[in-house]
Amino acid sequence: MSEKKSESSYEDKQDHIPSWTTPPIEWFANVYAGKEYNVEFTIPEFTAVCPKTGLPDFGTIFIEYIPRDKCAELKSLKEYMMSYRNVGIFHENVVNKILEDFVKAVDPIYVKVIGDYNVRGGVKTIVKREYKA
């Protein structure tokens, strides 16, 4: 009797996320480079789409970072976040994509991204990822 390989019904459906082209997160020069300080952003109206149901997922995204030579520009960060609105994407992939795009854009000393999602179907989801240079 051969063993049947168990696969998720979502196999290959999120593989494009790491290479998905999002709007750029712009930056400005950190005139206090060399001084270590924290910057925190809260995006309380984050929306993406559940890839299973097609319904919107709502949550709050928190970004905390220590800038090096560049600081993230807020208007472009807002436009970046809005680009997720119509994308079918798992919570875990949202947080990982945001962190990787943020690191690529501003090359911080440290960044932490938290996705704190609203309760859905009786389940509360919080996803966290940190990066240290």
Side-chain angles (χ1 to χ4, degrees), residues 115-127:
D116 184 351
Y117 290 89
N118 294 0
V119 173
R120 179 86 180 233
V123 177
K124 170 84 173 147
T125 304
I126 299 174
V127 181

Side-chain angles (χ1 to χ4, degrees), residues 65-117:
Y65 79 108
I66 300 172
R68 187 187 315 275
D69 297 322
K70 301 173 185 175
C71 293
E73 189 276 324
L74 290 179
K75 182 176 184 243
S76 68
L77 183 63
K78 178 180 79 171
E79 291 169 352
Y80 171 87
M81 291 297 171
M82 287 181 4
S83 73
Y84 284 84
R85 252 191 201 160
N86 297 314
V87 176
I89 185 170
F90 290 113
H91 300 152
E92 295 83 352
N93 293 342
V94 168
V95 169
N96 279 284
K97 177 70 173 158
I98 291 171
L99 183 132
E100 290 178 0
D101 287 348
F102 197 88
V103 168
K104 184 178 175 185
V106 300
D107 186 30
I109 294 169
Y110 166 84
V111 64
K112 176 168 50 173
V113 177
I114 300 171
D116 184 351
Y117 290 89

Side-chain angles (χ1 to χ4, degrees), residues 16-24 80 83 97 101:
H16 68 287
I17 297 299
S19 61
W20 170 43
T21 301
T22 51
Y80 171 87
S83 73
K97 177 70 173 158
D101 287 348

